[in-house]
């Protein structure tokens, strides 16, 4: 019993489970923001408004990646630096080009991977936790089910008899 209690109350394990479950909330946010941002950017490509939209995309992506880096630092104890823009040349266009370096594209790829791979993994982890919890409390609710329950090969009416 002590091993089970120690395992269930282990803060490192609970932080790692929380990290695996964060794509349930953040994955749709990242996906919606990236798809909307790139759709607006492509839609505005023939206008001068594409420049501000690209700047918004650069800062938005960098901010989202900073949130993910903070989550990794807090929940996984991994020293992940936030993505930084490339060193820039003087002038606006030099600064603008520096915003879209390799770190920008890596951050975009990571956010998309976190959406498409992280969300199904989070669903699987949540399902496994729910099944485990249901299995633990099964003996408590079987006597209250009318006619017992059917496990497949065994049909207990109660665990108390």
């Amino acid at each position: 019993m002590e091993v089970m209690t120690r395992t269930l109350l282990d803060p490192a394990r609970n932080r790692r489970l929380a990290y695996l479950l964060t794509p349930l909330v953040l994955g749709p946010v990242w996906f919606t923001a990236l798809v909307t941002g790139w759709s607006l950017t492509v839609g505005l490509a023939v206008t001068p408004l594409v420049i501000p939209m690209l700047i918004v995309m650069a800062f938005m992506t960098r901010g989202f990646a900073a949130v993910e880096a903070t989550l990794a630092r807090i929940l996984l104890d991994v020293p992940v630096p936030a993505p930084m823009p490339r060193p820039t040349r003087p002038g606006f266009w030099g600064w603008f080009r520096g915003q879209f370096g390799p770190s920008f594209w890596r951050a975009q790829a990571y956010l998309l991977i976190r959406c498409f791979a992280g969300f199904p993994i989070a669903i699987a982890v949540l399902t496994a936790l729910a099944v485990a919890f249901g299995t633990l409390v099964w003996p408590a609710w079987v006597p209250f089910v009318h006619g017992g329950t059917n496990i497949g090969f065994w049909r207990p009416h109660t665990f108390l008899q």
Side-chain angles (χ1 to χ4, degrees), residues 36-113:
T36 303
W38 279 113
S39 298
L40 283 171
T41 302
V42 170
L44 295 172
V46 295
T47 69
L49 295 174
V50 71
I51 301 298
M53 192 61 211
L54 283 170
I55 293 170
V56 166
M57 284 296 296
F59 283 108
M60 179 185 71
T61 301
R62 203 160 280 114
F64 290 165
V67 168
E68 287 288 340
T70 303
L71 282 173
R73 276 194 303 273
I74 291 171
L75 297 176
L76 300 178
D77 295 329
V78 176
V80 179
M84 299 298 294
R86 281 191 313 194
T88 62
R89 297 182 195 162
F92 173 76
W93 292 111
W95 173 83
F96 182 74
R97 284 188 200 111
Q99 298 301 311
F100 299 99
S103 67
F104 171 78
W105 298 108
R106 272 194 307 265
Q108 291 245 328
Y110 179 77
L111 291 172
L112 286 175
I113 288 170

